[in-house]
Amino acid sequence: MKSLLPRSMTLAALALWCSQAQAETLQTGKDVEAPTAKWEGVALGFEPPQPGLLGDMLGIRPILEDHGFHYNLGYLSQLSYNAGGGYNHDKQASYIDQFSLTFSQDLQALTGIPDAAIEGNIVNRNHDNNLTRDRLQDPRVGLTDLSQESFGGQSITRLGWLTFSRSFLEQRLQWRIGMMNKVQDFDQIIPCDFQTLTLCGGKSANSLTWYNWNVHYWGTTLQYKLTDGLTLKGGVMEQNPSAPSRSHAWSWSTKGSKGFLLPMELELKTHAVNQLPGVYNLGVLFTNARQSDLYEGVSGGPGASDPQGYRNHDRTWFLYTGFNQQVTRHADDVNRGLSVFYSLGLGDQRSNYLHWSTSTGIRYRGLFDARPDDWLGLGVSVVKLSDRYKDNQRYLNQMSGISDYHDPNYRPVPGHSVTAELYYRVNVTPWLQLQPGLQYWHHPAGVSETQDAWVTALKTVVTF
Protein backbone atom coordinates (compact mmCIF):
# COMPACT_ATOMS: atom_id res chain seq x y z
CA MET A 1 0.00 0.00 0.00
CA LYS A 2 1.61 3.26 -1.10
CA SER A 3 0.51 5.26 1.95
CA LEU A 4 2.51 3.33 4.51
CA LEU A 5 5.84 2.46 2.93
CA PRO A 6 8.73 1.02 4.94
CA ARG A 7 11.31 3.21 6.58
CA SER A 8 13.91 0.60 7.28
CA MET A 9 17.62 1.28 7.19
CA THR A 10 20.01 -0.95 9.06
CA LEU A 11 21.66 1.13 11.75
CA ALA A 12 25.04 0.54 10.20
CA ALA A 13 23.82 1.80 6.84
CA LEU A 14 22.15 4.81 8.42
CA ALA A 15 25.30 5.61 10.36
CA LEU A 16 27.32 5.34 7.15
CA TRP A 17 24.95 7.75 5.45
CA CYS A 18 25.12 10.19 8.37
CA SER A 19 28.89 10.17 8.37
CA GLN A 20 29.22 10.80 4.64
CA ALA A 21 26.17 12.77 3.54
CA GLN A 22 26.15 15.03 6.58
CA ALA A 23 29.98 15.25 6.64
CA GLU A 24 29.94 14.70 10.39
CA THR A 25 31.97 11.74 11.63
CA LEU A 26 30.25 9.62 14.27
CA GLN A 27 32.73 9.55 17.14
CA THR A 28 33.09 6.58 19.48
CA GLY A 29 35.58 7.91 22.01
CA LYS A 30 35.03 6.46 25.49
CA ASP A 31 36.84 8.94 27.70
CA VAL A 32 35.94 12.33 26.19
CA GLU A 33 34.44 14.87 28.52
CA ALA A 34 30.92 15.74 27.42
CA PRO A 35 31.26 19.58 27.56
CA THR A 36 34.02 19.56 24.92
CA ALA A 37 32.99 16.44 23.01
CA LYS A 38 31.95 16.58 19.39
CA TRP A 39 28.27 15.76 19.04
CA GLU A 40 27.70 12.08 18.32
CA GLY A 41 24.62 9.91 18.39
CA VAL A 42 25.76 6.46 19.45
CA ALA A 43 23.70 6.46 22.65
CA LEU A 44 20.73 7.82 20.65
CA GLY A 45 20.63 4.76 18.43
CA PHE A 46 22.95 5.75 15.57
CA GLU A 47 25.61 3.07 15.74
CA PRO A 48 28.77 3.73 13.70
CA PRO A 49 29.70 1.21 10.99
CA GLN A 50 31.16 -2.01 12.38
CA PRO A 51 33.49 -4.57 10.75
CA GLY A 52 31.43 -6.71 8.40
CA LEU A 53 31.20 -10.46 7.93
CA LEU A 54 33.37 -10.32 4.81
CA GLY A 55 36.00 -8.08 6.41
CA ASP A 56 38.34 -6.43 3.93
CA MET A 57 37.20 -8.79 1.16
CA LEU A 58 40.76 -10.02 0.47
CA GLY A 59 42.00 -6.44 0.39
CA ILE A 60 39.39 -5.17 -2.06
CA ARG A 61 37.60 -2.85 0.40
CA PRO A 62 40.78 -0.90 1.42
CA ILE A 63 41.65 -0.40 -2.26
CA LEU A 64 38.17 0.95 -2.99
CA GLU A 65 38.27 3.24 0.05
CA ASP A 66 41.71 4.54 -0.96
CA HIS A 67 40.05 5.61 -4.20
CA GLY A 68 37.16 7.29 -2.37
CA PHE A 69 34.50 4.58 -2.72
CA HIS A 70 32.77 3.71 0.55
CA TYR A 71 29.92 1.25 0.86
CA ASN A 72 27.80 -0.76 3.26
CA LEU A 73 26.14 -4.03 2.27
CA GLY A 74 23.55 -5.32 4.72
CA TYR A 75 20.80 -7.89 5.20
CA LEU A 76 17.62 -7.45 7.22
CA SER A 77 14.81 -9.89 8.01
CA GLN A 78 11.63 -9.38 10.03
CA LEU A 79 9.43 -12.17 11.37
CA SER A 80 6.05 -11.57 13.05
CA TYR A 81 3.64 -14.09 14.60
CA ASN A 82 0.12 -13.33 15.85
CA ALA A 83 0.22 -14.89 19.30
CA GLY A 84 -3.33 -13.79 20.18
CA GLY A 85 -6.20 -11.53 19.18
CA GLY A 86 -6.55 -9.42 16.07
CA TYR A 87 -9.15 -9.43 13.31
CA ASN A 88 -8.31 -12.96 12.11
CA HIS A 89 -7.31 -15.37 14.89
CA ASP A 90 -5.84 -17.96 12.53
CA LYS A 91 -2.15 -18.28 13.34
CA GLN A 92 0.40 -17.06 10.84
CA ALA A 93 4.13 -16.41 10.84
CA SER A 94 4.93 -13.67 8.32
CA TYR A 95 8.50 -13.29 7.06
CA ILE A 96 10.12 -10.64 4.87
CA ASP A 97 13.73 -9.76 4.15
CA GLN A 98 15.90 -7.38 2.17
CA PHE A 99 19.46 -6.77 0.98
CA SER A 100 20.68 -3.18 0.78
CA LEU A 101 23.74 -1.50 -0.72
CA THR A 102 24.46 2.08 0.28
CA PHE A 103 27.50 3.72 -1.28
CA SER A 104 29.28 7.00 -1.98
CA GLN A 105 32.09 8.01 -4.30
CA ASP A 106 34.27 10.92 -3.18
CA LEU A 107 34.87 13.22 -6.16
CA GLN A 108 36.94 15.94 -4.50
CA ALA A 109 40.29 14.36 -5.33
CA LEU A 110 39.24 13.90 -8.96
CA THR A 111 37.48 17.21 -9.56
CA GLY A 112 38.74 19.59 -6.88
CA ILE A 113 35.12 20.42 -5.99
CA PRO A 114 34.83 20.74 -2.17
CA ASP A 115 33.17 17.67 -0.61
CA ALA A 116 31.77 16.59 -3.96
CA ALA A 117 30.30 13.09 -3.95
CA ILE A 118 28.03 10.71 -5.79
CA GLU A 119 25.71 8.89 -3.37
CA GLY A 120 23.54 5.89 -4.09
CA ASN A 121 21.31 3.22 -2.60
CA ILE A 122 19.97 -0.06 -4.03
CA VAL A 123 17.53 -2.31 -2.17
CA ASN A 124 16.33 -5.83 -2.94
CA ARG A 125 13.12 -6.75 -1.08
CA ASN A 126 11.53 -10.18 -0.92
CA HIS A 127 8.21 -11.80 0.06
CA ASP A 128 4.69 -10.39 0.18
CA ASN A 129 3.99 -11.53 3.75
CA ASN A 130 2.23 -8.86 5.78
CA LEU A 131 0.88 -9.96 9.17
CA THR A 132 -0.93 -6.65 9.68
CA ARG A 133 -2.87 -6.97 6.44
CA ASP A 134 -3.49 -10.71 6.72
CA ARG A 135 -4.34 -11.13 10.41
CA LEU A 136 -4.22 -8.06 12.67
CA GLN A 137 -6.55 -5.48 11.18
CA ASP A 138 -9.93 -5.18 9.51
CA PRO A 139 -9.26 -5.16 5.75
CA ARG A 140 -12.13 -2.73 5.12
CA VAL A 141 -10.17 0.26 6.44
CA GLY A 142 -6.76 1.79 5.74
CA LEU A 143 -3.58 0.79 7.53
CA THR A 144 -2.46 2.76 10.55
CA ASP A 145 0.66 0.71 11.37
CA LEU A 146 2.72 -2.27 10.23
CA SER A 147 4.06 -5.09 12.37
CA GLN A 148 6.93 -5.43 9.88
CA GLU A 149 7.94 -1.92 8.95
CA SER A 150 10.08 -3.10 5.99
CA PHE A 151 7.10 -4.58 4.17
CA GLY A 152 6.98 -3.03 0.70
CA GLY A 153 4.13 -4.90 -0.94
CA GLN A 154 6.22 -6.75 -3.50
CA SER A 155 9.45 -8.61 -4.15
CA ILE A 156 11.54 -6.11 -6.08
CA THR A 157 14.99 -4.63 -6.60
CA ARG A 158 14.92 -0.86 -6.94
CA LEU A 159 17.05 2.27 -6.85
CA GLY A 160 16.58 4.17 -3.60
CA TRP A 161 18.60 7.21 -4.66
CA LEU A 162 21.41 8.40 -6.91
CA THR A 163 22.51 11.97 -6.26
CA PHE A 164 25.35 14.46 -6.59
CA SER A 165 26.27 16.60 -3.57
CA ARG A 166 28.86 19.22 -2.72
CA SER A 167 29.50 21.94 -0.14
CA PHE A 168 30.04 25.69 -0.19
CA LEU A 169 31.04 28.40 2.29
CA GLU A 170 33.59 26.29 4.19
CA GLN A 171 31.14 23.36 4.53
CA ARG A 172 28.36 25.47 6.03
CA LEU A 173 26.16 25.01 2.95
CA GLN A 174 25.48 21.61 1.38
CA TRP A 175 23.70 21.12 -1.93
CA ARG A 176 22.26 17.86 -3.26
CA ILE A 177 20.53 17.13 -6.57
CA GLY A 178 19.33 14.05 -8.44
CA MET A 179 17.00 11.12 -7.96
CA MET A 180 16.72 11.37 -4.22
CA ASN A 181 14.86 10.25 -1.13
CA LYS A 182 13.81 12.27 1.88
CA VAL A 183 15.96 10.21 4.27
CA GLN A 184 19.08 11.79 2.81
CA ASP A 185 18.19 15.15 4.34
CA PHE A 186 14.97 15.24 6.33
CA ASP A 187 13.47 13.88 9.54
CA GLN A 188 16.44 11.73 10.55
CA ILE A 189 16.71 12.39 14.30
CA ILE A 190 15.21 9.04 15.38
CA PRO A 191 16.64 5.75 14.09
CA CYS A 192 14.60 2.90 12.66
CA ASP A 193 15.29 0.15 15.18
CA PHE A 194 11.78 -0.85 16.30
CA GLN A 195 9.96 -3.32 14.06
CA THR A 196 6.57 -1.58 14.22
CA LEU A 197 6.32 1.17 11.62
CA THR A 198 5.01 4.00 13.81
CA LEU A 199 7.99 3.58 16.17
CA CYS A 200 10.48 3.44 13.29
CA GLY A 201 11.98 6.88 12.69
CA GLY A 202 10.00 10.12 12.52
CA LYS A 203 6.50 10.87 11.29
CA SER A 204 7.02 12.78 8.05
CA ALA A 205 6.20 9.75 5.84
CA ASN A 206 2.65 9.90 7.21
CA SER A 207 2.16 12.91 4.94
CA LEU A 208 1.42 10.25 2.27
CA THR A 209 2.99 12.56 -0.34
CA TRP A 210 6.63 11.45 -0.22
CA TYR A 211 8.02 7.99 0.31
CA ASN A 212 10.60 6.24 2.43
CA TRP A 213 14.05 4.89 1.85
CA ASN A 214 13.99 2.67 -1.24
CA VAL A 215 11.81 4.89 -3.45
CA HIS A 216 13.39 7.70 -5.50
CA TYR A 217 12.00 10.92 -6.98
CA TRP A 218 13.69 13.91 -8.58
CA GLY A 219 14.61 16.88 -6.48
CA THR A 220 17.21 19.21 -5.06
CA THR A 221 17.92 20.22 -1.46
CA LEU A 222 20.03 22.68 0.52
CA GLN A 223 21.28 22.45 4.10
CA TYR A 224 22.73 25.54 5.75
CA LYS A 225 24.41 25.53 9.16
CA LEU A 226 23.15 28.62 10.94
CA THR A 227 25.38 27.66 13.87
CA ASP A 228 27.51 24.62 14.60
CA GLY A 229 24.44 22.85 16.01
CA LEU A 230 21.50 24.46 14.18
CA THR A 231 20.81 23.53 10.54
CA LEU A 232 18.13 24.89 8.21
CA LYS A 233 17.06 22.49 5.47
CA GLY A 234 14.89 23.05 2.42
CA GLY A 235 14.22 21.60 -0.99
CA VAL A 236 12.03 21.10 -4.03
CA MET A 237 10.97 17.56 -4.99
CA GLU A 238 8.49 16.03 -7.37
CA GLN A 239 5.29 14.59 -5.91
CA ASN A 240 4.82 11.40 -7.86
CA PRO A 241 2.22 8.82 -6.75
CA SER A 242 3.76 6.41 -9.29
CA ALA A 243 7.16 6.44 -7.58
CA PRO A 244 6.54 3.29 -5.46
CA SER A 245 5.36 1.27 -8.48
CA ARG A 246 7.33 -1.55 -10.07
CA SER A 247 7.61 0.36 -13.35
CA HIS A 248 9.39 3.20 -11.57
CA ALA A 249 11.98 1.03 -9.78
CA TRP A 250 14.82 2.08 -12.11
CA SER A 251 13.09 4.81 -14.08
CA TRP A 252 14.61 8.24 -14.71
CA SER A 253 11.26 9.53 -15.91
CA THR A 254 8.99 11.99 -14.11
CA LYS A 255 5.94 10.34 -15.69
CA GLY A 256 3.11 10.31 -13.18
CA SER A 257 4.21 13.46 -11.34
CA LYS A 258 1.30 15.51 -10.00
CA GLY A 259 3.14 18.54 -8.67
CA PHE A 260 5.98 19.41 -6.34
CA LEU A 261 6.83 19.17 -2.65
CA LEU A 262 8.36 22.00 -0.61
CA PRO A 263 9.91 20.64 2.60
CA MET A 264 11.54 22.85 5.22
CA GLU A 265 13.10 21.73 8.50
CA LEU A 266 15.09 23.09 11.42
CA GLU A 267 17.38 20.56 13.11
CA LEU A 268 19.22 21.27 16.37
CA LYS A 269 22.06 19.16 17.74
CA THR A 270 22.92 20.13 21.28
CA HIS A 271 24.43 19.15 24.64
CA ALA A 272 22.02 21.37 26.57
CA VAL A 273 20.51 18.61 28.77
CA ASN A 274 23.03 17.42 31.37
CA GLN A 275 25.78 18.06 28.82
CA LEU A 276 24.59 14.97 26.93
CA PRO A 277 23.84 14.78 23.19
CA GLY A 278 20.34 15.46 21.94
CA VAL A 279 18.77 16.27 18.59
CA TYR A 280 15.52 18.13 17.92
CA ASN A 281 13.64 19.02 14.76
CA LEU A 282 10.64 20.91 13.43
CA GLY A 283 9.52 20.50 9.83
CA VAL A 284 6.71 21.37 7.48
CA LEU A 285 5.88 19.90 4.08
CA PHE A 286 3.70 21.68 1.50
CA THR A 287 2.51 20.27 -1.81
CA ASN A 288 0.59 21.72 -4.73
CA ALA A 289 -0.21 18.26 -6.08
CA ARG A 290 -3.95 17.71 -6.28
CA GLN A 291 -5.31 15.70 -3.33
CA SER A 292 -8.85 14.36 -3.10
CA ASP A 293 -11.04 15.34 -0.18
CA LEU A 294 -11.98 12.42 2.04
CA TYR A 295 -15.63 13.48 2.43
CA GLU A 296 -16.71 16.71 0.77
CA GLY A 297 -17.96 16.78 -2.81
CA VAL A 298 -17.48 19.43 -5.48
CA SER A 299 -20.95 20.82 -4.77
CA GLY A 300 -20.32 21.04 -1.03
CA GLY A 301 -22.21 17.95 0.12
CA PRO A 302 -20.91 14.41 0.57
CA GLY A 303 -18.67 13.42 -2.32
CA ALA A 304 -19.97 9.84 -2.39
CA SER A 305 -23.29 11.05 -3.81
CA ASP A 306 -22.06 14.16 -5.66
CA PRO A 307 -22.44 13.73 -9.46
CA GLN A 308 -19.16 15.61 -9.87
CA GLY A 309 -17.38 13.45 -7.32
CA TYR A 310 -15.13 14.43 -4.45
CA ARG A 311 -13.61 17.87 -4.13
CA ASN A 312 -9.88 18.32 -4.87
CA HIS A 313 -7.36 20.44 -2.97
CA ASP A 314 -4.38 22.04 -4.70
CA ARG A 315 -2.56 22.97 -1.49
CA THR A 316 -2.12 20.62 1.44
CA TRP A 317 0.38 20.51 4.29
CA PHE A 318 1.97 18.25 6.89
CA LEU A 319 3.77 19.22 10.11
CA TYR A 320 6.28 17.04 11.95
CA THR A 321 8.50 17.44 14.97
CA GLY A 322 10.36 15.40 17.55
CA PHE A 323 13.42 14.95 19.74
CA ASN A 324 15.89 12.25 20.73
CA GLN A 325 17.80 12.99 23.92
CA GLN A 326 20.31 11.08 26.01
CA VAL A 327 19.47 11.55 29.70
CA THR A 328 21.94 9.29 31.55
CA ARG A 329 25.45 8.05 30.84
CA HIS A 330 27.49 5.18 32.17
CA ALA A 331 30.29 6.19 34.54
CA ASP A 332 33.11 5.26 32.17
CA ASP A 333 31.42 5.17 28.77
CA VAL A 334 29.47 8.06 27.25
CA ASN A 335 28.02 5.69 24.64
CA ARG A 336 26.18 3.65 27.29
CA GLY A 337 23.07 5.07 28.87
CA LEU A 338 19.38 5.90 28.63
CA SER A 339 17.84 8.05 25.90
CA VAL A 340 14.25 9.19 25.38
CA PHE A 341 12.49 10.09 22.14
CA TYR A 342 9.25 11.69 20.98
CA SER A 343 7.78 12.36 17.55
CA LEU A 344 4.58 13.95 16.26
CA GLY A 345 3.02 14.20 12.82
CA LEU A 346 0.00 16.38 12.04
CA GLY A 347 -1.71 16.05 8.66
CA ASP A 348 -4.28 17.99 6.69
CA GLN A 349 -7.31 15.89 7.57
CA ARG A 350 -9.23 17.08 4.53
CA SER A 351 -7.10 14.75 2.41
CA ASN A 352 -5.01 12.65 4.84
CA TYR A 353 -6.87 9.88 6.68
CA LEU A 354 -4.03 9.79 9.27
CA HIS A 355 -4.93 13.05 11.03
CA TRP A 356 -2.21 12.86 13.65
CA SER A 357 0.23 10.31 14.99
CA THR A 358 2.61 10.43 17.91
CA SER A 359 5.22 8.14 19.45
CA THR A 360 7.35 8.13 22.56
CA GLY A 361 9.74 5.70 24.15
CA ILE A 362 13.13 4.92 25.63
CA ARG A 363 16.32 3.18 24.58
CA TYR A 364 19.10 1.89 26.78
CA ARG A 365 22.48 0.99 25.31
CA GLY A 366 24.65 -1.24 27.46
CA LEU A 367 22.24 -1.98 30.30
CA PHE A 368 24.44 -4.86 31.49
CA ASP A 369 28.19 -4.60 32.00
CA ALA A 370 28.64 -8.00 30.42
CA ARG A 371 26.75 -6.82 27.30
CA PRO A 372 27.84 -3.17 26.73
CA ASP A 373 26.73 -3.09 23.07
CA ASP A 374 23.23 -4.58 23.51
CA TRP A 375 20.10 -2.47 23.32
CA LEU A 376 16.79 -2.38 25.20
CA GLY A 377 13.89 -0.47 23.67
CA LEU A 378 10.32 0.32 24.74
CA GLY A 379 7.93 2.51 22.77
CA VAL A 380 4.25 3.44 22.42
CA SER A 381 2.52 5.12 19.49
CA VAL A 382 -0.97 6.51 18.90
CA VAL A 383 -2.67 7.23 15.57
CA LYS A 384 -5.85 9.32 15.29
CA LEU A 385 -7.93 9.00 12.12
CA SER A 386 -9.32 11.97 10.18
CA ASP A 387 -12.82 13.15 11.05
CA ARG A 388 -13.59 13.53 7.34
CA TYR A 389 -12.52 9.96 6.69
CA LYS A 390 -14.86 8.80 9.45
CA ASP A 391 -17.70 10.97 8.14
CA ASN A 392 -17.32 9.40 4.73
CA GLN A 393 -17.44 5.89 6.20
CA ARG A 394 -20.64 6.76 8.09
CA TYR A 395 -22.22 8.27 5.00
CA LEU A 396 -21.40 5.22 2.87
CA ASN A 397 -23.11 3.03 5.50
CA GLN A 398 -26.10 5.38 5.48
CA MET A 399 -26.32 5.19 1.69
CA SER A 400 -26.22 1.38 1.71
CA GLY A 401 -28.54 1.08 4.70
CA ILE A 402 -26.08 -1.21 6.51
CA SER A 403 -25.51 -0.88 10.24
CA ASP A 404 -24.29 -4.36 11.17
CA TYR A 405 -20.52 -4.46 11.67
CA HIS A 406 -20.44 -8.12 10.70
CA ASP A 407 -21.95 -7.43 7.26
CA PRO A 408 -19.05 -7.68 4.78
CA ASN A 409 -20.29 -4.53 3.03
CA TYR A 410 -20.28 -2.49 6.23
CA ARG A 411 -17.71 0.33 6.38
CA PRO A 412 -16.07 0.39 9.85
CA VAL A 413 -15.72 3.84 11.42
CA PRO A 414 -12.22 4.01 12.93
CA GLY A 415 -11.23 6.21 15.84
CA HIS A 416 -7.69 5.77 17.15
CA SER A 417 -5.18 2.95 17.40
CA VAL A 418 -2.38 2.28 19.89
CA THR A 419 0.66 0.07 19.35
CA ALA A 420 3.47 -0.70 21.77
CA GLU A 421 6.70 -2.65 21.39
CA LEU A 422 9.39 -3.99 23.71
CA TYR A 423 12.60 -5.34 22.22
CA TYR A 424 16.06 -6.48 23.27
CA ARG A 425 18.78 -6.42 20.63
CA VAL A 426 21.71 -8.80 21.09
CA ASN A 427 24.95 -7.89 19.35
CA VAL A 428 26.07 -11.46 18.76
CA THR A 429 29.10 -10.26 16.80
CA PRO A 430 29.97 -6.85 15.30
CA TRP A 431 28.27 -8.02 12.10
CA LEU A 432 25.24 -9.93 13.50
CA GLN A 433 22.32 -8.58 15.53
CA LEU A 434 19.32 -10.56 16.77
CA GLN A 435 16.36 -8.57 18.08
CA PRO A 436 13.41 -10.45 19.60
CA GLY A 437 10.41 -8.28 20.40
CA LEU A 438 6.86 -8.22 21.73
CA GLN A 439 4.14 -6.00 20.25
CA TYR A 440 0.75 -5.04 21.65
CA TRP A 441 -1.99 -3.72 19.35
CA HIS A 442 -4.99 -1.86 20.81
CA HIS A 443 -7.83 -1.22 18.34
CA PRO A 444 -5.84 -2.31 15.24
CA ALA A 445 -6.42 0.18 12.39
CA GLY A 446 -8.49 2.24 14.84
CA VAL A 447 -11.46 -0.17 14.79
CA SER A 448 -12.77 -0.72 18.32
CA GLU A 449 -14.65 -3.87 17.26
CA THR A 450 -11.34 -5.61 16.46
CA GLN A 451 -9.87 -7.56 19.36
CA ASP A 452 -6.58 -6.32 20.79
CA ALA A 453 -3.65 -8.36 19.54
CA TRP A 454 -0.29 -9.67 20.79
CA VAL A 455 2.52 -10.23 18.30
CA THR A 456 5.91 -11.81 18.80
CA ALA A 457 8.68 -10.59 16.52
CA LEU A 458 12.25 -11.34 15.54
CA LYS A 459 14.46 -8.95 13.58
CA THR A 460 17.85 -10.04 12.21
CA VAL A 461 20.52 -7.70 10.85
CA VAL A 462 23.72 -8.85 9.11
CA THR A 463 26.43 -6.46 7.93
CA PHE A 464 28.65 -7.79 5.19
Side-chain angles (χ1 to χ4, degrees):
M1 183 170 180
K2 75 174 185 179
S3 60
L4 283 173
L5 289 172
R7 306 178 182 183
S8 179
M9 249 189 199
T10 64
L11 292 181
L14 182 55
L16 177 68
W17 169 80
C18 290
S19 63
Q20 294 168 353
Q22 299 286 351
E24 294 179 0
T25 303
L26 294 173
Q27 303 296 317
T28 59
K30 305 285 187 179
D31 300 315
V32 180
E33 290 298 322
T36 59
K38 182 179 177 68
W39 191 96
E40 50 78 18
V42 177
L44 302 179
F46 298 104
E47 292 276 4
Q50 299 295 321
L53 171 63
L54 302 180
D56 289 340
M57 295 183 62
L58 300 177
I60 296 176
R61 183 189 285 264
I63 294 174
L64 293 174
E65 292 181 344
D66 288 343
H67 288 81
F69 185 82
H70 302 270
Y71 72 93
N72 179 278
L73 178 62
Y75 170 82
L76 166 74
S77 70
Q78 294 178 343
L79 175 67
S80 289
Y81 176 76
N82 55 325
Y87 180 79
N88 185 334
H89 295 183
D90 293 343
K91 301 305 179 187
Q92 176 174 308
S94 295
Y95 176 86
I96 58 173
D97 63 18
Q98 70 178 27
F99 291 88
S100 62
L101 173 65
T102 303
F103 61 89
S104 71
Q105 174 62 57
D106 183 2
L107 299 178
Q108 182 169 344
L110 300 175
T111 65
I113 302 174
D115 299 310
I118 298 293
E119 300 162 315
N121 168 262
I122 299 171
V123 178
N124 166 254
R125 283 213 165 107
N126 302 287
H127 312 300
D128 184 15
N129 295 326
N130 183 345
L131 188 72
T132 306
R133 176 198 63 196
D134 298 338
R135 293 292 183 267
L136 300 181
Q137 75 148 64
D138 192 319
R140 296 170 292 182
V141 292
L143 294 168
T144 58
D145 208 341
L146 286 174
S147 176
Q148 303 145 282
E149 53 80 23
S150 257
F151 174 77
Q154 54 190 329
S155 294
I156 190 172
T157 300
R158 63 163 67 245
L159 178 69
W161 63 78
L162 185 63
T163 58
F164 169 81
S165 65
R166 64 156 298 181
S167 69
F168 301 87
L169 305 176
E170 298 180 339
Q171 298 184 338
R172 300 196 72 84
L173 178 65
Q174 184 192 51
W175 173 53
R176 179 176 284 111
I177 189 170
M179 295 182 293
M180 59 177 42
N181 187 278
K182 73 179 187 65
V183 305
Q184 294 179 273
D185 294 275
F186 298 98
D187 199 18
Q188 289 302 295
I189 68 169
I190 299 173
C192 185
D193 48 358
F194 287 86
Q195 189 168 303
T196 50
L197 180 62
T198 54
L199 291 167
C200 175
K203 292 293 180 289
S204 64
N206 287 0
S207 68
L208 311 184
T209 54
W210 60 6
Y211 311 102
N212 277 310
W213 200 35
N214 69 330
V215 177
H216 66 268
Y217 27 91
W218 284 98
T220 184
T221 62
L222 290 171
Q223 295 191 30
Y224 182 71
K225 290 188 176 182
L226 302 172
T227 68
D228 287 341
L230 184 62
T231 302
L232 176 64
K233 308 175 183 182
V236 181
M237 302 178 185
E238 65 166 324
Q239 202 286 306
N240 192 339
S242 300
S245 67
R246 181 174 292 274
S247 62
H248 200 272
W250 292 90
S251 174
W252 293 58
S253 172
T254 59
K255 183 179 180 180
S257 294
K258 301 300 182 182
F260 57 81
L261 303 169
L262 295 175
M264 183 171 292
E265 178 182 327
L266 271 175
E267 179 186 271
L268 175 64
K269 293 181 177 179
T270 178
H271 289 91
V273 178
N274 297 328
Q275 299 180 339
L276 295 173
V279 57
Y280 301 72
N281 73 353
L282 175 64
V284 64
L285 177 64
F286 290 97
T287 180
N288 73 339
R290 183 167 294 182
Q291 309 290 318
S292 178
D293 197 283
L294 296 173
Y295 173 71
E296 187 176 337
V298 174
S299 303
S305 58
D306 193 318
Q308 300 182 68
Y310 289 87
R311 177 184 178 186
N312 289 314
H313 301 281
D314 294 328
R315 297 178 183 85
T316 56
W317 56 270
F318 190 86
L319 177 72
Y320 63 93
T321 187
F323 68 83
N324 189 3
Q325 176 68 55
Q326 185 177 356
V327 293
T328 70
R329 60 175 290 184
H330 196 268
D332 59 357
D333 188 349
V334 69
N335 293 327
R336 291 176 61 188
L338 177 71
S339 62
V340 298
F341 69 90
Y342 174 80
S343 64
L344 171 69
L346 179 63
D348 188 338
Q349 68 171 330
R350 298 175 303 170
S351 58
N352 190 331
Y353 77 97
L354 305 173
H355 182 203
W356 59 259
S357 54
T358 185
S359 299
T360 188
I362 61 171
R363 294 180 182 85
Y364 202 110
R365 187 179 190 273
L367 180 62
F368 306 110
D369 290 339
R371 306 291 308 173
D373 297 321
D374 287 359
W375 285 88
L376 176 70
L378 174 64
V380 179
S381 64
V382 181
V383 177
K384 170 70 166 55
L385 281 301
S386 162
D387 288 339
R388 292 211 183 191
Y389 177 59
K390 292 186 287 186
D391 288 343
N392 193 62
Q393 294 288 93
R394 294 188 186 98
Y395 186 72
L396 290 172
N397 288 331
Q398 180 181 336
M399 288 181 62
S400 63
I402 299 174
S403 59
D404 181 7
Y405 170 80
H406 299 287
D407 189 313
N409 294 315
Y410 178 79
R411 301 295 187 100
V413 181
H416 72 279
S417 65
V418 180
T419 52
E421 181 179 348
L422 172 69
Y423 76 77
Y424 188 86
R425 185 195 312 151
V426 181
N427 272 343
V428 181
T429 69
W431 50 265
L432 174 62
Q433 299 173 349
L434 296 177
Q435 182 174 303
L438 179 65
Q439 303 172 6
Y440 174 69
W441 292 62
H442 176 63
H443 293 173
V447 179
S448 59
E449 290 88 350
T450 302
Q451 184 178 349
D452 292 357
W454 290 94
V455 176
T456 56
L458 178 63
K459 177 179 176 179
T460 302
V461 175
V462 179
T463 302
F464 296 101

